[in-house]
């Protein structure tokens, strides 16, 4: 290692993520990336077509951001700029949303105009209608389709040509352009472009006006434009997740400064400010409780449905919800350092690192297009040199155009979008929302499925699992008789009616389900972190945890064995103590216990067995404690279908665990339903959100299950595998038709048979390949 010279500062690198507009395919991203890597001072550059982001690592002493922006604009794209004084994250998200909406509307207009004008052109061309001016009419209808509806393809092809890259745009532009230009020549100067053949009478040559191929050009434009429209509709969903995350943070906070309570914007809260939080409010920033106590719903962070009891010294997190108590805390992490903002950053970073899926059609086109252009040029040269002088121009031109038309990527362009259209439509019928073709491709390659526990394997809210009545401690105590579950539940639910605590709500719901009669309670007092105290029908009632019972000297030994057993199953035990009937001043005695837990979904066991049968590894990843996670896993996978349980993990740990599996070569699907799952959903190769989940999870996911049914995960994977198989078949047949047709179009059979493929036959062959692709895709409708 070489030491730096004295006084020299070590080399520093900066990085910047820029929102790019104007990309229409993965090749556009590659064009921008090549331009960036050629800049002096750029150490690394990546452009993500899926998220429209360019991430550049550079030496600030050699290069500045303005130069980077200028380089992107030089190759025909643009950057979204943030207005002065605006919040960067919100401004960029809003601007990107506006750009996506404008792009979709523009594509929609171009498609509608294209299809309206293309229908009569196709009708005229396919019917072989002959009347004065028929070609001029087709020209008038076709020109707007090509140069308005299909302008982006010609623009993309010209940009690719400038940078020596070939993609689908090139094939579309060359195929449709050659068909249109040949037809234009046949329309404007019909006598200059003639076809001829020898009749059965020896030496008699008959000439005919060359046919036109306007319908070929417009059909290609409209069909490929349809694919682009579908893609634009499916892309860009992930930014909505970030927007919703940002909105979770409360706009204002109540703080104490100079002994005065002030309401200030959350962005103005400073480190070490004292913040006041009242019941029902969202906590504005991260910090440490100074005084007071409460239950806090941290499900957005940990996924745990049970509220967490907080007291002095406990850590609280921004955007979590305070339940019943009030407290003051000292702000420790504010602004970009809060847990919520870290989740936002994790989602954005995971999306930015995800490489865009290489479209196989683009890969083929990268090699195929230059080859076709070369073959067409060679065909023209050979025919011009070898054909008779009076017909050589026509024969050379017709043969070259036939090569270009038969090689035109109509079927190749349809191969993926038609299968995606049918596959996603079939998924929608089953309640599976799939974001796009790249998702289908990745989902078909999944090897490992990670399941969040709360809200995914389980229902996502606490419910009563056991009601235990204590044996009579003494005769005439007024406690419920052995086995009198209804009496115990009535006593507990009557006391809990006034509480908003999730556990209290679960007990009341259980009483309602069992149709147990309730009595109005009086003297209700919530005891944060412990339970509650109330008076029911003249009896003092105490409900809560073991600490509450011990603090009030209630002997719980009679229920110790039951409580230990229930706790080992991952259930929360609430003890119920009461005074004797009609003797409110008598000592409190234990009368029973109620166990609560987040119970498994009814279909979870069968669904996990299906995943295992598909050859997938099943892992549970949860923010809950290990004992609870193991208990749930034992219920839903008694035969060991779940191979690994990772518990007690916050969002960043979930992301790390997924990265580790990906580094081991696994293709990972993450299934979750909570805000805390959003970074993991974004990092996974495929994120799957349960329909019962939060909006953020649904937006961050690649696949959304519209029904809260875990079986949808297996259904989605099976559908993806079928769709991927269909896409591969489509691409094979599309390429096969082209590969077989090009030599024939070039005249390979002419020396042997005297037969030469006309552009009209070439167009028919191209149509046949398109029909085969469409028919094959429609097979996805079955099953």
């Amino acid at each position: 290692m070489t030491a730096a010279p004295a006084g020299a500062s070590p080399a520093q690198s900066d990085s910047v993520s820029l929102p790019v507009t104007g990309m229409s395919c993965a090749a556009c991203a590659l064009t921008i990336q090549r331009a960036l890597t050629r800049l002096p001072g750029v150490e690394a550059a990546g452009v993500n077509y899926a998220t429209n982001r360019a991430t550049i690592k550079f030496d600030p002493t050699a290069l500045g951001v303005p130069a980077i922006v200028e380089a992107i604009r030089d190759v025909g794209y643009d950057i979204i700029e943030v207005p002065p004084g605006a919040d960067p994250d919100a401004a960029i998200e809003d601007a990107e949303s506006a750009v996506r909406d404008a792009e979709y509307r523009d594509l929609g207009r171009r498609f509608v105009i294209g299809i309206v004008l293309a229908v009569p052109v196709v009708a005229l061309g396919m019917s072989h209608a002959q009347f004065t001016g028929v070609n001029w009419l087709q020209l008038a209808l076709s020109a707007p389709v090509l140069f308005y509806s299909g302008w982006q393809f010609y623009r993309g092809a010209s940009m690719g040509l400038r940078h020596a890259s070939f993609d689908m745009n090139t094939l579309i532009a060359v195929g449709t352009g050659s068909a249109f230009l040949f037809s234009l020549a046949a329309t404007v100067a019909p006598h200059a472009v003639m076809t001829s053949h020898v009749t059965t009478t020896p030496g008699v040559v008959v000439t005919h006006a060359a046919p036109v191929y306007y319908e070929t050009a417009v059909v290609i434009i409209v069909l490929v434009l349809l694919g682009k429209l579908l893609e634009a509709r499916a892309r860009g969903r992930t930014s909505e997740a970030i927007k919703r995350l940002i909105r979770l943070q409360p706009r204002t906070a109540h703080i104490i400064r100079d002994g005065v309570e002030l309401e200030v914007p959350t962005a103005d809260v400073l480190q070490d400010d004292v913040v006041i939080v009242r019941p029902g409010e969202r906590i504005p920033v991260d910090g440490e409780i100074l005084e007071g106590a409460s239950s806090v719903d941290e499900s957005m962070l940990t996924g745990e449905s049970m509220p967490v009891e907080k007291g002095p010294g406990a850590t609280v997190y921004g955007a979590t919800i305070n339940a019943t108590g009030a407290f003051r805390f000292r702000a420790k992490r504010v602004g970009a350092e809060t847990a919520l903002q870290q989740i936002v950053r994790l989602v954005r970073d995971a999306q930015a690192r995800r490489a865009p899926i290489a479209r196989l059609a683009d890969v083929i086109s990268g090699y195929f297009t230059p080859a076709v252009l070369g073959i067409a040029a060679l065909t023209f040269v050979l025919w011009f040199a070898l054909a008779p002088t009076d017909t050589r121009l026509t024969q050379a031109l017709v043969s070259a155009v036939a090569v270009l038309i038969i090689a035109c990527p109509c079927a190749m362009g349809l191969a993926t979008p038609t299968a995606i259209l049918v596959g996603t439509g079939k998924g929608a019928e089953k309640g599976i929302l799939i974001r796009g073709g790249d998702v289908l491709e990745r989902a078909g390659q999944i090897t490992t499925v990670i399941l969040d526990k709360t809200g995914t394997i389980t229902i996502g809210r606490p419910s009563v699992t056991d009601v235990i009545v204590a044996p009579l401690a003494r005769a005439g105590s007024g406690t419920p008789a052995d086995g009198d579950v209804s009496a115990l539940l009535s006593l507990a639910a009557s006391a809990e009616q006034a509480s908003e605590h999730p556990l209290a709500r679960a007990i009341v719901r259980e009483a309602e389900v069992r149709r147990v009669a309730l009595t109005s309670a009086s003297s209700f007092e919530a005891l944060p972190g412990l339970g509650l105290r109330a008076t029911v029908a003249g009896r003092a009632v105490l409900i809560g945890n073991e600490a509450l019972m011990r603090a009030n000297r209630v002997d719980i030994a009679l229920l110790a064995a039951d409580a230990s057993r229930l706790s080992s199953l991952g259930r929360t035990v609430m003890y119920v103590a009461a005074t004797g009937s009609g003797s409110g001043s008598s000592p409190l005695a234990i009368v029973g216990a109620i166990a609560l837990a987040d119970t498994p979904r009814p279909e979870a066991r069968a669904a996990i067995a299906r995943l295992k049968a598909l050859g997938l590894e099943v892992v549970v990843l949860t923010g809950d404690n290990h004992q609870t996670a193991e208990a749930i896993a034992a219920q839903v996978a008694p035969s060991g279908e779940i191979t690994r349980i990772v518990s007690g993990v916050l969002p960043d740990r979930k992301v790390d665990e997924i990265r580790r599996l990906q580094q081991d070569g696994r293709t990972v699907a993450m299934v979750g339903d909570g805000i805390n799952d959003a970074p993991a959903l974004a990092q996974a190769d495929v994120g799957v959100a349960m329909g019962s989940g939060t909006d953020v999870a649904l937006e961050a996911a690649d696949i959304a299950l519209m029904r809260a049914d875990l079986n949808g995960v297996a259904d989605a994977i099976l559908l993806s595998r079928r769709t991927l198989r269909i896409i591969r078949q489509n691409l094979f047949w599309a390429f096969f038709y082209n590969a077989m047709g090009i030599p024939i179009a070039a005249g390979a059979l002419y020396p042997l048979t005297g037969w030469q493929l006309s552009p009209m036959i070439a167009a028919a062959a191209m149509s046949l390949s398109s029909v085969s692709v469409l028919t094959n895709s429609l097979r996805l409708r079955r099953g």
Side-chain angles (χ1 to χ4, degrees), residues 393-418:
L393 176 61
T394 299
Q395 283 189 275
L397 190 60
V398 168
S399 298
V401 170
V403 168
L404 291 172
I405 288 176
I406 204 166
C408 195
C410 189
M412 204 175 293
L414 286 172
T416 299
T418 53

PDB file of all heavy atoms in Angstrom, residues 393-418:
ATOM      1  N   LEU A 393     -33.034  -3.267 -61.681  1.00  0.00           N
ATOM      2  CA  LEU A 393     -33.345  -2.342 -60.592  1.00  0.00           C
ATOM      3  C   LEU A 393     -34.589  -2.793 -59.834  1.00  0.00           C
ATOM      4  O   LEU A 393     -34.601  -2.852 -58.603  1.00  0.00           O
ATOM      5  CB  LEU A 393     -33.546  -0.922 -61.127  1.00  0.00           C
ATOM      6  CG  LEU A 393     -33.970   0.121 -60.068  1.00  0.00           C
ATOM      7  CD1 LEU A 393     -32.905   0.240 -58.978  1.00  0.00           C
ATOM      8  CD2 LEU A 393     -34.220   1.478 -60.725  1.00  0.00           C
ATOM      9  N   THR A 394     -35.615  -3.162 -60.626  1.00  0.00           N
ATOM     10  CA  THR A 394     -36.857  -3.606 -59.987  1.00  0.00           C
ATOM     11  C   THR A 394     -36.637  -4.885 -59.198  1.00  0.00           C
ATOM     12  O   THR A 394     -37.069  -5.004 -58.048  1.00  0.00           O
ATOM     13  CB  THR A 394     -37.952  -3.822 -61.042  1.00  0.00           C
ATOM     14  OG1 THR A 394     -38.202  -2.586 -61.707  1.00  0.00           O
ATOM     15  CG2 THR A 394     -39.236  -4.311 -60.390  1.00  0.00           C
ATOM     16  N   GLN A 395     -35.968  -5.868 -59.813  1.00  0.00           N
ATOM     17  CA  GLN A 395     -35.752  -7.135 -59.124  1.00  0.00           C
ATOM     18  C   GLN A 395     -34.878  -6.952 -57.888  1.00  0.00           C
ATOM     19  O   GLN A 395     -35.132  -7.549 -56.843  1.00  0.00           O
ATOM     20  CB  GLN A 395     -35.110  -8.146 -60.083  1.00  0.00           C
ATOM     21  CG  GLN A 395     -36.106  -8.730 -61.074  1.00  0.00           C
ATOM     22  CD  GLN A 395     -35.500  -9.886 -61.852  1.00  0.00           C
ATOM     23  OE1 GLN A 395     -34.833  -9.663 -62.869  1.00  0.00           O
ATOM     24  NE2 GLN A 395     -35.716 -11.092 -61.401  1.00  0.00           N
ATOM     25  N   ALA A 396     -33.859  -6.146 -57.984  1.00  0.00           N
ATOM     26  CA  ALA A 396     -32.977  -5.905 -56.845  1.00  0.00           C
ATOM     27  C   ALA A 396     -33.742  -5.220 -55.712  1.00  0.00           C
ATOM     28  O   ALA A 396     -33.625  -5.589 -54.534  1.00  0.00           O
ATOM     29  CB  ALA A 396     -31.784  -5.055 -57.271  1.00  0.00           C
ATOM     30  N   LEU A 397     -34.554  -4.234 -56.090  1.00  0.00           N
ATOM     31  CA  LEU A 397     -35.303  -3.492 -55.085  1.00  0.00           C
ATOM     32  C   LEU A 397     -36.365  -4.367 -54.423  1.00  0.00           C
ATOM     33  O   LEU A 397     -36.512  -4.391 -53.200  1.00  0.00           O
ATOM     34  CB  LEU A 397     -35.956  -2.263 -55.729  1.00  0.00           C
ATOM     35  CG  LEU A 397     -36.594  -1.239 -54.775  1.00  0.00           C
ATOM     36  CD1 LEU A 397     -35.560  -0.679 -53.824  1.00  0.00           C
ATOM     37  CD2 LEU A 397     -37.233  -0.111 -55.581  1.00  0.00           C
ATOM     38  N   VAL A 398     -37.107  -5.111 -55.252  1.00  0.00           N
ATOM     39  CA  VAL A 398     -38.161  -5.982 -54.729  1.00  0.00           C
ATOM     40  C   VAL A 398     -37.577  -7.046 -53.806  1.00  0.00           C
ATOM     41  O   VAL A 398     -38.103  -7.336 -52.734  1.00  0.00           O
ATOM     42  CB  VAL A 398     -38.960  -6.619 -55.887  1.00  0.00           C
ATOM     43  CG1 VAL A 398     -39.846  -7.749 -55.368  1.00  0.00           C
ATOM     44  CG2 VAL A 398     -39.813  -5.578 -56.581  1.00  0.00           C
ATOM     45  N   SER A 399     -36.465  -7.641 -54.192  1.00  0.00           N
ATOM     46  CA  SER A 399     -35.847  -8.691 -53.363  1.00  0.00           C
ATOM     47  C   SER A 399     -35.337  -8.131 -52.045  1.00  0.00           C
ATOM     48  O   SER A 399     -35.520  -8.747 -50.974  1.00  0.00           O
ATOM     49  CB  SER A 399     -34.695  -9.346 -54.128  1.00  0.00           C
ATOM     50  OG  SER A 399     -35.168  -9.970 -55.292  1.00  0.00           O
ATOM     51  N   ALA A 400     -34.695  -6.961 -52.096  1.00  0.00           N
ATOM     52  CA  ALA A 400     -34.183  -6.354 -50.866  1.00  0.00           C
ATOM     53  C   ALA A 400     -35.320  -5.990 -49.923  1.00  0.00           C
ATOM     54  O   ALA A 400     -35.246  -6.221 -48.703  1.00  0.00           O
ATOM     55  CB  ALA A 400     -33.349  -5.118 -51.198  1.00  0.00           C
ATOM     56  N   VAL A 401     -36.410  -5.434 -50.491  1.00  0.00           N
ATOM     57  CA  VAL A 401     -37.569  -5.084 -49.660  1.00  0.00           C
ATOM     58  C   VAL A 401     -38.209  -6.343 -49.089  1.00  0.00           C
ATOM     59  O   VAL A 401     -38.646  -6.362 -47.928  1.00  0.00           O
ATOM     60  CB  VAL A 401     -38.591  -4.261 -50.471  1.00  0.00           C
ATOM     61  CG1 VAL A 401     -39.894  -4.101 -49.691  1.00  0.00           C
ATOM     62  CG2 VAL A 401     -38.017  -2.888 -50.789  1.00  0.00           C
ATOM     63  N   ALA A 402     -38.278  -7.418 -49.878  1.00  0.00           N
ATOM     64  CA  ALA A 402     -38.840  -8.676 -49.381  1.00  0.00           C
ATOM     65  C   ALA A 402     -38.051  -9.188 -48.183  1.00  0.00           C
ATOM     66  O   ALA A 402     -38.624  -9.673 -47.191  1.00  0.00           O
ATOM     67  CB  ALA A 402     -38.852  -9.723 -50.491  1.00  0.00           C
ATOM     68  N   VAL A 403     -36.726  -9.059 -48.257  1.00  0.00           N
ATOM     69  CA  VAL A 403     -35.882  -9.465 -47.121  1.00  0.00           C
ATOM     70  C   VAL A 403     -36.223  -8.639 -45.878  1.00  0.00           C
ATOM     71  O   VAL A 403     -36.396  -9.170 -44.781  1.00  0.00           O
ATOM     72  CB  VAL A 403     -34.385  -9.322 -47.473  1.00  0.00           C
ATOM     73  CG1 VAL A 403     -33.524  -9.466 -46.223  1.00  0.00           C
ATOM     74  CG2 VAL A 403     -33.986 -10.352 -48.511  1.00  0.00           C
ATOM     75  N   LEU A 404     -36.302  -7.328 -46.073  1.00  0.00           N
ATOM     76  CA  LEU A 404     -36.582  -6.446 -44.934  1.00  0.00           C
ATOM     77  C   LEU A 404     -37.973  -6.692 -44.359  1.00  0.00           C
ATOM     78  O   LEU A 404     -38.165  -6.692 -43.141  1.00  0.00           O
ATOM     79  CB  LEU A 404     -36.443  -4.983 -45.355  1.00  0.00           C
ATOM     80  CG  LEU A 404     -35.025  -4.520 -45.666  1.00  0.00           C
ATOM     81  CD1 LEU A 404     -35.038  -3.131 -46.264  1.00  0.00           C
ATOM     82  CD2 LEU A 404     -34.158  -4.546 -44.406  1.00  0.00           C
ATOM     83  N   ILE A 405     -38.959  -6.933 -45.232  1.00  0.00           N
ATOM     84  CA  ILE A 405     -40.327  -7.132 -44.744  1.00  0.00           C
ATOM     85  C   ILE A 405     -40.462  -8.458 -44.017  1.00  0.00           C
ATOM     86  O   ILE A 405     -41.051  -8.532 -42.941  1.00  0.00           O
ATOM     87  CB  ILE A 405     -41.331  -7.052 -45.923  1.00  0.00           C
ATOM     88  CG1 ILE A 405     -41.447  -5.598 -46.401  1.00  0.00           C
ATOM     89  CG2 ILE A 405     -42.711  -7.558 -45.493  1.00  0.00           C
ATOM     90  CD1 ILE A 405     -42.330  -5.420 -47.615  1.00  0.00           C
ATOM     91  N   ILE A 406     -39.907  -9.523 -44.594  1.00  0.00           N
ATOM     92  CA  ILE A 406     -40.055 -10.812 -43.933  1.00  0.00           C
ATOM     93  C   ILE A 406     -39.276 -10.859 -42.618  1.00  0.00           C
ATOM     94  O   ILE A 406     -39.598 -11.619 -41.708  1.00  0.00           O
ATOM     95  CB  ILE A 406     -39.630 -11.968 -44.862  1.00  0.00           C
ATOM     96  CG1 ILE A 406     -40.320 -13.268 -44.420  1.00  0.00           C
ATOM     97  CG2 ILE A 406     -38.105 -12.139 -44.896  1.00  0.00           C
ATOM     98  CD1 ILE A 406     -40.233 -14.377 -45.439  1.00  0.00           C
ATOM     99  N   ALA A 407     -38.240 -10.013 -42.534  1.00  0.00           N
ATOM    100  CA  ALA A 407     -37.458  -9.951 -41.290  1.00  0.00           C
ATOM    101  C   ALA A 407     -38.041  -8.959 -40.296  1.00  0.00           C
ATOM    102  O   ALA A 407     -37.546  -8.846 -39.174  1.00  0.00           O
ATOM    103  CB  ALA A 407     -36.019  -9.560 -41.613  1.00  0.00           C
ATOM    104  N   CYS A 408     -39.077  -8.218 -40.709  1.00  0.00           N
ATOM    105  CA  CYS A 408     -39.652  -7.197 -39.828  1.00  0.00           C
ATOM    106  C   CYS A 408     -40.182  -7.851 -38.558  1.00  0.00           C
ATOM    107  O   CYS A 408     -40.806  -8.919 -38.609  1.00  0.00           O
ATOM    108  CB  CYS A 408     -40.769  -6.466 -40.559  1.00  0.00           C
ATOM    109  SG  CYS A 408     -41.220  -4.945 -39.745  1.00  0.00           S
ATOM    110  N   PRO A 409     -39.944  -7.238 -37.411  1.00  0.00           N
ATOM    111  CA  PRO A 409     -40.149  -7.918 -36.127  1.00  0.00           C
ATOM    112  C   PRO A 409     -41.574  -7.864 -35.599  1.00  0.00           C
ATOM    113  O   PRO A 409     -41.792  -7.679 -34.417  1.00  0.00           O
ATOM    114  CB  PRO A 409     -39.225  -7.138 -35.198  1.00  0.00           C
ATOM    115  CG  PRO A 409     -39.306  -5.746 -35.725  1.00  0.00           C
ATOM    116  CD  PRO A 409     -39.407  -5.886 -37.220  1.00  0.00           C
ATOM    117  N   CYS A 410     -42.560  -8.014 -36.479  1.00  0.00           N
ATOM    118  CA  CYS A 410     -43.934  -7.984 -35.984  1.00  0.00           C
ATOM    119  C   CYS A 410     -44.154  -9.114 -34.980  1.00  0.00           C
ATOM    120  O   CYS A 410     -44.605  -8.888 -33.865  1.00  0.00           O
ATOM    121  CB  CYS A 410     -44.914  -8.104 -37.147  1.00  0.00           C
ATOM    122  SG  CYS A 410     -46.624  -7.818 -36.684  1.00  0.00           S
ATOM    123  N   ALA A 411     -43.821 -10.334 -35.359  1.00  0.00           N
ATOM    124  CA  ALA A 411     -44.010 -11.466 -34.454  1.00  0.00           C
ATOM    125  C   ALA A 411     -43.086 -11.364 -33.249  1.00  0.00           C
ATOM    126  O   ALA A 411     -43.468 -11.667 -32.114  1.00  0.00           O
ATOM    127  CB  ALA A 411     -43.755 -12.776 -35.195  1.00  0.00           C
ATOM    128  N   MET A 412     -41.855 -10.907 -33.507  1.00  0.00           N
ATOM    129  CA  MET A 412     -40.914 -10.768 -32.405  1.00  0.00           C
ATOM    130  C   MET A 412     -41.390  -9.697 -31.424  1.00  0.00           C
ATOM    131  O   MET A 412     -41.259  -9.821 -30.218  1.00  0.00           O
ATOM    132  CB  MET A 412     -39.528 -10.432 -32.950  1.00  0.00           C
ATOM    133  CG  MET A 412     -38.395 -10.821 -32.024  1.00  0.00           C
ATOM    134  SD  MET A 412     -36.779 -10.539 -32.789  1.00  0.00           S
ATOM    135  CE  MET A 412     -36.811 -11.744 -34.096  1.00  0.00           C
ATOM    136  N   GLY A 413     -41.972  -8.617 -31.964  1.00  0.00           N
ATOM    137  CA  GLY A 413     -42.509  -7.566 -31.106  1.00  0.00           C
ATOM    138  C   GLY A 413     -43.745  -8.010 -30.353  1.00  0.00           C
ATOM    139  O   GLY A 413     -44.027  -7.529 -29.259  1.00  0.00           O
ATOM    140  N   LEU A 414     -44.510  -8.940 -30.949  1.00  0.00           N
ATOM    141  CA  LEU A 414     -45.722  -9.442 -30.298  1.00  0.00           C
ATOM    142  C   LEU A 414     -45.433 -10.573 -29.330  1.00  0.00           C
ATOM    143  O   LEU A 414     -46.252 -10.861 -28.454  1.00  0.00           O
ATOM    144  CB  LEU A 414     -46.696  -9.959 -31.361  1.00  0.00           C
ATOM    145  CG  LEU A 414     -47.433  -8.918 -32.206  1.00  0.00           C
ATOM    146  CD1 LEU A 414     -48.189  -9.622 -33.325  1.00  0.00           C
ATOM    147  CD2 LEU A 414     -48.389  -8.124 -31.347  1.00  0.00           C
ATOM    148  N   ALA A 415     -44.293 -11.222 -29.458  1.00  0.00           N
ATOM    149  CA  ALA A 415     -43.996 -12.436 -28.703  1.00  0.00           C
ATOM    150  C   ALA A 415     -44.172 -12.239 -27.202  1.00  0.00           C
ATOM    151  O   ALA A 415     -44.808 -13.040 -26.520  1.00  0.00           O
ATOM    152  CB  ALA A 415     -42.571 -12.904 -29.010  1.00  0.00           C
ATOM    153  N   THR A 416     -43.618 -11.147 -26.696  1.00  0.00           N
ATOM    154  CA  THR A 416     -43.706 -10.898 -25.256  1.00  0.00           C
ATOM    155  C   THR A 416     -45.000 -10.207 -24.848  1.00  0.00           C
ATOM    156  O   THR A 416     -45.695 -10.690 -23.956  1.00  0.00           O
ATOM    157  CB  THR A 416     -42.483 -10.089 -24.786  1.00  0.00           C
ATOM    158  OG1 THR A 416     -41.308 -10.854 -25.053  1.00  0.00           O
ATOM    159  CG2 THR A 416     -42.555  -9.800 -23.312  1.00  0.00           C
ATOM    160  N   PRO A 417     -45.394  -9.068 -25.489  1.00  0.00           N
ATOM    161  CA  PRO A 417     -46.582  -8.366 -24.989  1.00  0.00           C
ATOM    162  C   PRO A 417     -47.876  -9.161 -25.081  1.00  0.00           C
ATOM    163  O   PRO A 417     -48.728  -9.026 -24.213  1.00  0.00           O
ATOM    164  CB  PRO A 417     -46.646  -7.095 -25.842  1.00  0.00           C
ATOM    165  CG  PRO A 417     -45.733  -7.299 -26.975  1.00  0.00           C
ATOM    166  CD  PRO A 417     -44.716  -8.290 -26.538  1.00  0.00           C
ATOM    167  N   THR A 418     -48.039 -10.000 -26.110  1.00  0.00           N
ATOM    168  CA  THR A 418     -49.283 -10.766 -26.183  1.00  0.00           C
ATOM    169  C   THR A 418     -49.357 -11.809 -25.074  1.00  0.00           C
ATOM    170  O   THR A 418     -50.412 -12.000 -24.455  1.00  0.00           O
ATOM    171  CB  THR A 418     -49.419 -11.464 -27.547  1.00  0.00           C
ATOM    172  OG1 THR A 418     -48.235 -12.239 -27.802  1.00  0.00           O
ATOM    173  CG2 THR A 418     -49.609 -10.461 -28.658  1.00  0.00           C
TER     174      THR A 418
END
